[in-house]
Amino acid sequence: MSKTRFLLIQMVTAGALAGSALAEEPAAPPPPPAPLPAAPEAAAPAPAATAVASANTAPAATPAPPPPPYSLPWQLRPVGAANVVRSDTAFAMYDNGMGAKGNTVATMLLGSYKVTPSLAPMVRLGFTRNDAPAAGADGTSFINPVVGATYARKVDALRWAAFLGATVPIGMGGGDTPAAGAATANSAGIRARSAMDNAMFAVNYFTVIAGGDFAYVDHKLTVQLEATLFQLARVRGSNAASSTDSARTNSTVGLHAGYFIIPMLSLGGEFRYQRWLSTPTTLTMGNKVNFTDAAMDTVTVAIGPRAHFQVAKGMFLRPGISYARALDKPVSDASYNVVQVDIPLYF
């Protein structure tokens, strides 16, 4: 056998053996199925969203309790800076048994507006009418306005306020030849207002007014103390018939106590004391012999109820009515009975 033929036989035999081996080898397993894509992971909430969600689910904050109610005085100044329009009228009836029988109406209109939480400028106007037919002393008068400002603060249950103001000496019934009816109405108005507003009726004088108030307000109770000094300087009327005083000094002190019976109703009482620190010639002219110290001061008391209503959002009406009497001479000799109707509107 030739060498070439021998090589061909070996190649055929080797191929057959290789094919047999491949036929006996087990088939490879199918590839595993591709895994399913995982669900996307939820994104973590942003810090701001978490804060909002927490705020929405947190319990509501407890509202702050309302401030304790304040009993508004009758003729003392309020201890606070406020937005208010106030109409205040005193109706006085008198009879001294000697022909001086009549009545007086003295009305005050006040406006105040806060320029800061603690400071409130104000202006106050006045009108008085006296009707005494038996004495022939009828008359009306627009009296001196007052302009000024209140500065007030409070700490817990304690409140204090300072007032500085002045009169504008343009009232009727002044000058060298005053109208008799207006001058009489001014004198009668002083007593109708318990002598607490003398500066407004002193129409010949420019008056600087400085005062302070201190109050305790808590447990439905108000206790307030007030002191005021008036320094008068004459700018009108130079003859003795009007006055010979170039200057006068006056003072007032008041104590107010009020208690809330229910949230809509309070009861308030007031003690008032007026004292001249200089002696006005009007008290001694023509009566120097009989002049006594009783004419230098006036003591009155007042008491009455006051209602408290909310008439609109941020607007409150606090109307009240009081009765006042004089406790000392000479005003008590005339049997003065005074009813005050006070209508303040706060906003």
Side-chain angles (χ1 to χ4, degrees):
M1 180 179 298
S2 67
K3 186 175 181 179
T4 301
R5 188 176 179 183
F6 176 78
L7 288 175
L8 289 173
I9 294 171
Q10 283 186 334
M11 291 174 63
V12 171
T13 303
L17 291 174
S20 175
L22 290 173
E24 292 177 0
E25 185 177 3
L36 294 175
E41 202 173 302
T50 304
V52 171
S54 300
N56 290 337
T57 57
T62 303
Y70 169 63
S71 173
L72 188 65
W74 297 110
Q75 281 200 325
L76 308 188
R77 292 180 298 270
V79 183
N83 300 330
V84 60
V85 174
R86 184 174 186 177
S87 172
D88 170 13
T89 301
F91 301 89
M93 294 145 283
Y94 57 88
D95 182 1
N96 65 359
M98 296 183 293
K101 182 178 181 179
N103 61 80
T104 305
V105 178
T107 298
M108 306 293 176
L109 180 63
L110 178 145
S112 175
Y113 187 79
K114 289 191 296 184
V115 294
T116 74
S118 299
L119 181 65
M122 57 77 69
V123 61
R124 191 182 193 199
L125 308 176
F127 170 82
T128 181
R129 173 173 176 77
N130 186 61
D131 184 9
D138 295 351
T140 60
S141 177
F142 287 96
I143 57 178
N144 287 347
V146 172
V147 294
T150 298
Y151 181 81
R153 300 296 295 269
K154 64 179 180 178
V155 179
D156 298 329
L158 302 179
R159 305 184 185 188
W160 65 268
F163 176 81
L164 183 63
T167 62
V168 182
I170 58 174
M172 297 170 60
D176 289 331
T177 55
T184 301
N186 291 341
S187 298
I190 292 174
R191 294 185 174 186
R193 300 293 303 180
S194 298
M196 297 293 284
D197 299 310
N198 285 0
M200 298 182 70
F201 295 96
V203 293
N204 284 333
Y205 289 82
F206 168 77
T207 306
V208 176
I209 307 168
D213 293 79
F214 183 80
Y216 169 85
V217 183
D218 205 358
H219 299 96
K220 300 186 289 186
L221 173 68
T222 296
V223 179
Q224 177 178 336
L225 179 66
E226 175 180 289
T228 307
L229 183 68
F230 305 83
Q231 185 58 53
L232 295 78
R234 190 177 63 198
V235 294
R236 300 168 62 194
S238 58
N239 63 22
S242 299
S243 170
T244 59
D245 303 317
S246 61
R248 298 176 178 175
T249 305
N250 196 9
S251 65
T252 60
V253 176
L255 177 66
H256 173 84
Y259 185 79
F260 278 76
I261 303 169
I262 59 175
M264 295 178 62
L265 181 66
S266 64
L267 182 65
E270 211 160 271
F271 173 86
R272 309 160 184 158
Y273 179 69
Q274 177 269 151
R275 175 78 186 184
W276 284 103
L277 302 181
S278 63
T279 304
T281 54
T282 51
L283 298 182
T284 60
M285 290 173 63
N287 193 30
K288 292 183 180 179
V289 175
N290 297 323
F291 174 76
T292 65
D293 189 63
M296 292 287 289
D297 59 11
T298 305
V299 180
T300 57
V301 292
I303 190 171
R306 187 182 293 278
H308 307 266
F309 303 106
Q310 182 171 358
V311 295
K313 184 177 181 181
M315 188 174 293
F316 300 87
L317 189 64
R318 308 184 68 182
I321 185 169
S322 69
Y323 171 75
R325 287 277 295 184
L327 299 183
D328 67 337
K329 298 176 181 294
V331 182
S332 60
D333 289 340
S335 301
Y336 264 82
N337 295 280
V338 182
V339 175
Q340 179 183 354
V341 178
D342 186 19
I343 308 175
L345 178 65
Y346 284 80
F347 57 94

